[in-house]
Amino acid sequence: MSVKVFLTEDEIPRQWYNLAADLPSPLNPPLGPDGKPVTPEMLAPVFPMNLIEQMVSTQRWIDIPEGVLEILYLWRPSPLHRAVFLEKALDTPAKIYYKNESISPPGSHKPNTAVAQAWFNKQFGIKKLTTETGAGQWGSALAFACALLGLECKVFMVRISFDQKPYRKLMMQTWGANCVASPSTETQAGRDILAKDPDTPGSLGIAISEAIEQAVTDKSGTTRYSIGSALNHVLLHQTIIGLEAKKQLEKIGEKRVDVVIGCAGGGSNFAGLSFPFVNDKIHGAEIDIIPVEPFSCPTMTRASFVYDHGDAAKMTPLLAMHSLGHDFIPPPIHAGGLRYHGMAPLVSQGIIEGLLTPRAIHQLESYSSAVLFAKTEGIIAAPETSHAIAAVIQEAKKAKEECKEKVILFNMSGHGLMDLSGYDRYFQGELEDYALPEEEIHAALENIKDLPKPQLVKSGKW
Amino acid sequence: MSVKVFLTEDEIPRQWYNLAADLPSPLNPPLGPDGKPVTPEMLAPVFPMNLIEQMVSTQRWIDIPEGVLEILYLWRPSPLHRAVFLEKALDTPAKIYYKNESISPPGSHKPNTAVAQAWFNKQFGIKKLTTETGAGQWGSALAFACALLGLECKVFMVRISFDQKPYRKLMMQTWGANCVASPSTETQAGRDILAKDPDTPGSLGIAISEAIEQAVTDKSGTTRYSIGSALNHVLLHQTIIGLEAKKQLEKIGEKRVDVVIGCAGGGSNFAGLSFPFVNDKIHGAEIDIIPVEPFSCPTMTRASFVYDHGDAAKMTPLLAMHSLGHDFIPPPIHAGGLRYHGMAPLVSQGIIEGLLTPRAIHQLESYSSAVLFAKTEGIIAAPETSHAIAAVIQEAKKAKEECKEKVILFNMSGHGLMDLSGYDRYFQGELEDYALPEEEIHAALENIKDLPKPQLVKSGKW
């Protein structure tokens, strides 16, 4: 019998883990338009104060409210699987484990934070949430969370994904949310972009601008913006994944993890699985921790660590992060969730510190890896998740070459049942590998060279 | 905290339950073209002998091979949930439990038998399986099972569903299967139907004919046909659902179940959940056991108990069952899995005996019930499953009227993420209720009046 580990109700983590408490050097704070650190009050039109407190907190453990747990419990704790059939196909001495986040009703890890954000907003008296979505995983998750908590929900979905994935809109509609293609004509930010480029595929940066604008201009004062990745509180909410994984590995007597892998667009599923292990690494454990991105949008592997906006219309504060520039529009690859110009500040700082070793993957390798995974472990992965699977297979092959019984853990962050048009194009031979050309990388970085520079804080320990 | 019950690896059922051992009266045997009971040898070109043995067995408990369990273990045991959020929305004193079969990689209960059938075929030396699929749940499940066991797989998908659900084909393709619309030009059965009616929406009966024809005409002798519902061995494999549910209810001290509900097209998910409880009922327990069907294809509630073929081209033996006629083409409702002219002989006999009390549901009620379920319990149900949910809500409301704390158990047989076009039409107001008119029911039954009559065996106990 293969290995699959559940946790009982009693064993569900009751607190989230905040890496900000343990990073060797402090984070560079977000900056306002005046170049000075933003205050919680400045963020208040966008987020409820209880979430702003989490965003800026450096407290190590933060309680998960019972009301949040009650909903998470619909699918959590998620099972930890050992991928015995994949190991066999690869003939590797490595042991491959994965957290199966695909079994949540919206099909990904995203509801871990969607439920938490919706719950804290509701506690704060908020009636409506606005948000962006790329591939649609996040928009679906927030629609789901808002349905269960009785909030109104408005989703701006990046045009290219909106057109590729019509079922995503229907999922959100079933949960009662209103989803429109971004850029839209509903906001000034959207109208400005459309005036310049009516045929734009859109970007997460643009969709974020639209969602924030609609939240802050609602005169009732009961609308806020909700974000699916990148910011500290989002990563915090996802750490339940890694905390569960640690308990599950302990439960089966697996004492050591050698490699932890997750795909990273804004960084939240990767951070959710890996941050509890980053804590171990800070305290001396030897672990390779690998966030994976596409060569077509190489934020972590090629962009600089700069102060940049999280959105195209510069509505967010300046964040210290790896960025290709707030108005960079990534090529229309199928892994819509990895089409983001920036990277979570906590993940970026982890890279600067040498705690994380990012890796880029080509599109065809990610699809061929996903097909092997589907035919061995049975789950059809989201195109984003496929990037993690490709890195896992690389590591398992390396373990074979080195004859080492490595323990590899990765985040099966979501299924790809709504993303099959990408698989179709792969099977038809219509997809090609595409690395963002050097001149485009340079041009993108040139665009943001006049923004403030973060202190490049590196403790030098890794 | 709400209630969700897992079983450990040690607690997984190791045997399937065979209702044929316990029915008060013996089943009418399948008949050949000569009107005499078919012998196992006559079925040998269609099925491998190890499955034929299960099909005709009256042994009460049949061992689940370790090789089958190893694959089922990828997602089994499935969780048993208490639907606390739905109960609250309905303000009902009833306790509503559901088995969540939607978390299997193909998204339904179907892989429970797909894995078993593929495994037994492989043991028998078979290299390729052919099958039919309606909504696509079954075809996807067999594609998945064949991928994991290294068998070739060919799926004939009912035209109306093939056109409504393009992603289904891509799922099957990702698992390496070949899926074509039925009727197709690949078989004589398909060509004959197309010659008569080029624009037919197709039917499960036609698709079954095509799949059987392609299996029995393969000269290598290593191709067999695999069926997704109706026959005894298929229902047998699904009983793992009900056996798990019983253990899970015991585990939380729930001593009594008052109502058991499942939707029924061919009958397998309903039988899988309910047959262990039918056994209890035979031995004296008071339980309402309700298979649910659409008013547009009212096999159980309106058709007679007759000897009819399982397919349009009369390639199957005559089965004693409720049938609207082997060439009846059901209206193109979205619940493709419920568009079948017949009903499993074991379920049919259970109805004749009075052990089961079938119920028909209208399309709009099934969609509105599914939307309420999605907004409370979070899962977007398949259109088939939505029929079960509608009956559950009827029962929960009845319990409220009667002020009774009834325990209701149902099978959440699959998610509807590949079926969202039906939800779309529902939201657009394009769907209507449609009950099959009396004259069409009479005409359908008139068509098969010359077929042999089964002995109407009824013990008279219920």
Side-chain angles (χ1 to χ4, degrees):
Chain A
M1 188 73 78
S2 61
V3 177
K4 186 174 61 176
V5 195
F6 285 113
L7 295 177
T8 65
E9 187 183 322
D10 294 342
E11 294 167 318
I12 294 186
R14 250 70 184 177
Q15 295 182 307
W16 291 301
Y17 169 65
N18 185 5
L19 181 63
D22 288 310
L23 272 182
S25 318
L27 281 174
N28 281 272
L31 304 182
D34 55 359
K36 289 182 186 162
V38 292
T39 61
E41 290 67 30
M42 292 165 75
L43 296 171
V46 183
F47 299 107
M49 197 51 75
N50 49 12
L51 284 178
I52 294 171
E53 283 163 14
Q54 288 182 3
M55 206 180 299
V56 299
S57 171
T58 53
Q59 193 182 315
R60 182 169 294 114
W61 296 102
I62 295 179
D63 287 345
I64 309 178
E66 192 64 18
V68 172
L69 275 177
E70 256 182 23
I71 299 179
L72 296 185
Y73 194 56
L74 283 172
W75 73 96
R76 304 210 72 83
S78 72
L80 177 82
H81 293 251
R82 180 159 166 204
V84 284
F85 299 112
L86 177 63
E87 289 173 17
K88 204 172 161 190
L90 295 171
D91 188 27
T92 176
K95 292 199 256 181
I96 303 173
Y97 292 95
Y98 61 93
K99 276 294 272 185
N100 186 359
E101 296 292 308
S102 75
I103 58 160
S104 75
S108 80
H109 66 290
K110 291 288 189 190
N112 296 329
T113 183
V115 169
Q117 289 189 53
W119 190 89
F120 281 105
N121 270 283
K122 189 176 182 180
Q123 289 294 110
F124 197 72
I126 299 305
K127 308 285 185 206
K128 176 180 174 180
L129 293 178
T130 66
T131 198
E132 78 291 340
T133 196
Q137 300 273 25
W138 167 244
S140 306
L142 192 67
F144 158 85
C146 285
L148 269 79
L149 284 158
L151 298 178
E152 204 182 327
C153 180
K154 173 64 172 265
V155 181
F156 292 89
M157 183 167 183
V158 175
R159 162 69 69 186
I160 174 81
S161 292
F162 188 89
D163 292 342
Q164 281 170 351
K165 301 171 189 178
Y167 276 22
R168 276 286 174 197
K169 181 190 158 191
L170 293 170
M171 268 178 96
M172 298 182 223
Q173 191 176 359
T174 304
W175 282 311
N178 177 0
C179 170
V180 295
S182 165
S184 77
T185 54
E186 290 190 26
T187 66
Q188 194 57 49
R191 289 188 293 270
D192 288 350
I193 301 274
L194 286 172
K196 274 190 279 184
D197 181 4
D199 298 323
T200 176
S203 71
L204 276 168
I206 297 168
I208 292 172
S209 296
E210 292 206 275
I212 296 181
E213 180 184 324
Q214 198 159 85
V216 299
T217 55
D218 174 20
K219 293 200 175 69
S220 75
T222 57
T223 299
R224 290 293 182 280
Y225 164 70
S226 181
I227 188 165
S229 192
L231 298 188
N232 296 9
H233 63 298
V234 182
L235 277 55
L236 175 81
H237 300 155
Q238 294 293 356
T239 58
I240 194 168
I241 303 170
L243 294 168
E244 284 180 6
K246 292 194 81 169
K247 285 196 183 188
Q248 288 165 314
L249 289 166
E250 273 166 34
K251 216 169 170 175
I252 52 169
E254 197 69 78
K255 294 195 172 61
R256 197 188 78 236
V257 176
D258 300 297
V259 188
V260 177
I261 293 172
C263 64
S268 78
N269 98 71
F270 164 75
L273 178 68
S274 70
F275 279 6
F277 296 92
V278 173
N279 187 18
D280 292 348
K281 187 165 180 170
I282 290 170
H283 293 95
E286 280 186 31
I287 315 178
D288 287 336
I289 304 179
I290 307 172
V292 185
E293 68 183 7
F295 270 111
S296 54
C297 188
T299 321
M300 297 179 290
T301 53
R302 299 304 312 282
S304 348
F305 183 56
V306 295
Y307 255 121
D308 196 8
H309 297 280
D311 71 313
K314 303 192 272 190
M315 302 192 72
T316 73
L318 288 159
L319 302 166
M321 62 181 180
H322 290 78
S323 174
L324 287 163
H326 54 268
D327 55 6
F328 175 73
I329 295 188
I333 57 164
H334 281 277
L338 306 184
R339 291 181 71 244
Y340 185 54
H341 69 274
M343 180 48 59
L346 278 167
V347 173
S348 293
Q349 179 83 22
I351 294 167
I352 294 297
E353 286 281 8
L355 287 161
L356 314 176
T357 48
R359 181 177 301 180
I361 293 283
H362 274 299
Q363 182 159 246
L364 294 180
E365 184 177 353
S366 87
Y367 272 105
S368 64
S369 301
V371 170
L372 177 62
F373 192 77
K375 288 185 174 174
T376 51
E377 295 294 314
I379 303 172
I380 297 176
E384 294 80 9
T385 314
S386 305
H387 287 72
I389 296 172
V392 167
I393 292 175
Q394 289 179 350
E395 288 297 309
K397 287 181 175 168
K398 198 172 123 194
K400 187 179 177 183
E401 283 163 20
E402 296 172 351
C403 294
K404 283 189 186 162
E405 201 201 65
K406 283 191 179 174
V407 176
I408 301 170
L409 170 68
F410 80 99
N411 201 1
M412 173 68 226
S413 55
H415 68 62
L417 297 187
M418 317 306 283
D419 308 295
L420 287 163
S421 59
Y423 279 86
D424 191 24
R425 293 195 61 212
Y426 170 70
F427 291 131
Q428 305 285 341
E430 290 172 9
L431 296 185
E432 289 179 355
D433 283 340
Y434 176 82
L436 195 66
E438 290 301 318
E439 58 273 23
E440 289 193 33
I441 296 174
H442 290 152
L445 300 180
E446 184 70 14
N447 261 345
I448 49 168
K449 73 173 181 342
D450 295 332
L451 287 167
K453 301 284 174 293
Q455 266 189 283
L456 187 72
V457 177
K458 184 173 178 178
S459 67
K461 193 166 170 193
W462 290 274
Chain B
M1 188 73 79
S2 61
V3 176
K4 187 174 61 178
V5 195
F6 285 113
L7 295 176
T8 65
E9 185 182 324
D10 294 343
E11 294 167 317
I12 294 186
R14 251 68 183 179
Q15 295 183 308
W16 291 301
Y17 169 65
N18 186 6
L19 180 64
D22 289 309
L23 272 182
S25 317
L27 282 174
N28 282 274
L31 304 182
D34 56 359
K36 290 182 187 162
V38 291
T39 60
E41 290 67 31
M42 291 165 74
L43 295 171
V46 183
F47 299 106
M49 197 50 76
N50 48 15
L51 283 178
I52 294 171
E53 283 164 14
Q54 289 182 1
M55 206 180 300
V56 300
S57 171
T58 54
Q59 194 183 314
R60 181 169 295 115
W61 296 102
I62 294 179
D63 288 344
I64 309 177
E66 192 63 18
V68 173
L69 276 177
E70 257 181 23
I71 298 178
L72 295 185
Y73 195 56
L74 283 171
W75 73 97
R76 300 211 75 82
S78 72
L80 177 82
H81 294 250
R82 179 157 167 208
V84 283
F85 299 112
L86 176 63
E87 289 172 17
K88 203 172 160 189
L90 295 171
D91 188 26
T92 177
K95 293 199 252 178
I96 303 173
Y97 292 94
Y98 60 95
K99 277 292 274 185
N100 186 358
E101 295 293 308
S102 76
I103 58 158
S104 75
S108 80
H109 67 290
K110 292 288 189 188
N112 296 330
T113 183
V115 169
Q117 290 190 51
W119 190 89
F120 280 107
N121 270 284
K122 189 177 181 179
Q123 288 295 109
F124 197 71
I126 299 305
K127 308 286 185 207
K128 177 179 175 179
L129 293 177
T130 66
T131 198
E132 78 291 340
T133 196
Q137 300 274 26
W138 166 244
S140 305
L142 193 67
F144 157 85
C146 285
L148 269 80
L149 284 158
L151 298 178
E152 205 182 325
C153 180
K154 173 65 173 265
V155 181
F156 292 89
M157 183 166 183
V158 175
R159 163 67 68 187
I160 174 81
S161 292
F162 188 89
D163 292 342
Q164 280 170 350
K165 302 171 188 178
Y167 277 21
R168 277 285 173 198
K169 182 190 158 191
L170 293 170
M171 268 179 94
M172 298 182 222
Q173 192 177 359
T174 304
W175 283 310
N178 177 0
C179 169
V180 295
S182 166
S184 77
T185 55
E186 290 189 27
T187 66
Q188 193 57 49
R191 289 187 294 268
D192 289 350
I193 301 274
L194 286 173
K196 274 190 278 185
D197 182 3
D199 297 323
T200 176
S203 71
L204 276 167
I206 296 169
I208 293 172
S209 296
E210 291 207 274
I212 296 180
E213 180 185 325
Q214 198 163 83
V216 300
T217 55
D218 174 21
K219 294 202 172 67
S220 75
T222 57
T223 299
R224 289 293 183 281
Y225 164 70
S226 181
I227 188 166
S229 192
L231 298 187
N232 296 9
H233 64 298
V234 181
L235 277 55
L236 175 81
H237 300 154
Q238 294 293 358
T239 58
I240 194 167
I241 303 171
L243 295 168
E244 284 180 5
K246 292 195 80 169
K247 286 196 185 190
Q248 287 164 314
L249 288 166
E250 274 166 35
K251 217 169 169 173
I252 53 168
E254 197 69 78
K255 294 196 170 65
R256 196 189 78 237
V257 175
D258 301 297
V259 189
V260 177
I261 292 172
C263 64
S268 77
N269 98 71
F270 164 74
L273 177 69
S274 69
F275 279 6
F277 296 91
V278 173
N279 187 18
D280 292 348
K281 185 164 181 170
I282 290 171
H283 293 94
E286 279 186 33
I287 316 178
D288 287 336
I289 304 179
I290 307 172
V292 185
E293 67 184 7
F295 271 111
S296 55
C297 187
T299 320
M300 298 180 291
T301 53
R302 299 302 314 279
S304 347
F305 183 56
V306 295
Y307 255 122
D308 195 7
H309 297 280
D311 71 313
K314 304 192 271 189
M315 302 192 72
T316 74
L318 288 159
L319 303 167
M321 61 180 180
H322 289 77
S323 174
L324 288 164
H326 53 269
D327 53 8
F328 174 73
I329 295 188
I333 57 164
H334 281 277
L338 305 184
R339 291 180 71 244
Y340 185 54
H341 68 273
M343 180 47 59
L346 279 167
V347 173
S348 293
Q349 180 81 24
I351 295 167
I352 294 298
E353 285 282 9
L355 287 160
L356 314 176
T357 48
R359 181 177 302 181
I361 294 283
H362 275 298
Q363 183 159 245
L364 294 180
E365 185 177 352
S366 86
Y367 273 105
S368 64
S369 302
V371 170
L372 177 61
F373 191 78
K375 288 184 175 174
T376 52
E377 295 294 314
I379 303 172
I380 298 177
E384 294 80 9
T385 313
S386 305
H387 287 72
I389 296 171
V392 167
I393 292 174
Q394 288 179 351
E395 288 297 310
K397 287 180 176 169
K398 197 172 122 195
K400 187 180 177 183
E401 283 163 21
E402 297 172 353
C403 294
K404 283 189 186 163
E405 200 200 66
K406 283 192 179 173
V407 175
I408 302 170
L409 170 68
F410 81 98
N411 201 1
M412 173 67 228
S413 56
H415 68 64
L417 297 187
M418 318 306 284
D419 309 295
L420 287 164
S421 58
Y423 280 85
D424 191 24
R425 294 196 60 213
Y426 170 69
F427 291 130
Q428 304 285 340
E430 291 172 8
L431 295 185
E432 288 179 356
D433 283 341
Y434 176 81
L436 195 65
E438 289 301 317
E439 58 274 21
E440 289 193 33
I441 295 174
H442 290 151
L445 300 178
E446 183 71 16
N447 260 345
I448 49 169
K449 73 173 183 337
D450 295 333
L451 287 167
K453 301 284 175 295
Q455 269 189 280
L456 188 72
V457 179
K458 184 173 176 177
S459 66
K461 193 165 171 193
W462 290 274

